[in-house]
Amino acid sequence: MRVTGYKSHGVGAAAALVNAVTSAEGAGTDDALRGVLADHGFFVADFTPDTAARLRPWARTLRAVFEAETLDRAVELLNALLADVPMHPHLADHDERGLHLHYAPPQVELAHRFRATTLMNLSELVCDHGIDRIGVCAAAGCDHVYADDSRGGRRRFCSDACANRTNVAAYRARRREQ
Ligand SMILES: [Zn+2]
Ligand SMILES: [Zn+2]
């Protein structure tokens, strides 16, 4: 099994885009989306308002994959998208990630590069781990998604803040019961 230490950056980028666009507190502004791409190693020099307009529907599409309750459902969704998004693999080396695959070459429009790379990297994660590594944050009141490509892979929360808040609440509940 080709385990984690994934050099790819599409998995984290996919979750961040979904959260930026579809979560209750996600601003979803052009600047916010540009920031998501920049934070995850995409070259944003040619980011335009049109790029953002193309990425918003992609965020809503990907959210369904994170919310899939069974592996069959996730596979069905991913296969439909894989049939739809053209892939042109391209070897890239940037930001000290080491040589890794992009699924569209640099001359292709940015929103398409992002779609192709996030889709393939999410698909690879599901091939390796089923749906154990993707989901919606387990904290009460949080609608963020997460994708876990860490070695341990025990993540259930979108952030340390949500994990801590949930642990404190559980601790207090236990104290009350005693
Ligand atoms: Zn890359
Ligand atoms: Zn959360």
Side-chain angles (χ1 to χ4, degrees):
M1 190 164 73
R2 173 177 42 77
V3 199
T4 53
Y6 286 90
K7 285 177 179 171
S8 59
H9 40 105
V11 162
L17 181 80
V18 169
N19 290 334
V21 174
T22 70
S23 75
E25 64 188 34
T29 59
D30 289 4
D31 276 353
L33 299 196
R34 182 187 227 275
V36 165
L37 269 60
D39 287 350
H40 291 87
F42 285 82
F43 316 105
V44 293
D46 53 351
F47 187 98
T48 65
D50 185 58
T51 312
R54 287 163 192 262
L55 288 174
R56 287 187 191 98
W58 182 242
R60 290 185 278 271
T61 297
L62 284 185
R63 181 160 189 110
V65 176
F66 285 90
E67 289 180 342
E69 289 187 351
T70 63
L71 179 59
D72 283 352
R73 179 65 182 144
V75 168
E76 181 187 4
L77 288 166
L78 288 169
N79 272 338
L81 295 171
L82 287 163
D84 214 38
V85 176
M87 299 289 169
H88 299 96
H90 173 87
L91 289 166
D93 187 1
H94 61 93
D95 299 320
E96 297 176 2
R97 284 168 200 278
L99 209 52
H100 61 285
L101 278 169
H102 285 181
Y103 294 92
Q107 63 271 23
V108 166
E109 185 245 328
L110 176 58
H112 175 65
R113 291 205 310 269
F114 187 89
R115 274 197 299 267
T117 293
T118 50
L119 177 56
M120 279 299 290
N121 291 165
L122 268 183
S123 297
E124 289 165 343
L125 187 68
V126 168
C127 285
D128 286 350
H129 300 289
I131 54 172
D132 289 354
R133 300 295 194 94
I134 57 173
V136 179
C137 181
C142 181
D143 64 354
H144 284 186
V145 301
Y146 63 85
D148 183 359
D149 59 0
S150 69
R151 205 165 282 278
R154 295 203 184 79
R155 200 160 153 189
R156 291 294 172 267
F157 298 97
C158 71
S159 61
D160 288 345
C162 276
N164 292 338
R165 187 157 46 82
T166 304
N167 290 337
V168 168
Y171 173 75
R172 288 196 180 129
R174 279 197 303 276
R175 287 281 298 258
R176 274 196 303 274
E177 277 167 23
Q178 282 164 9

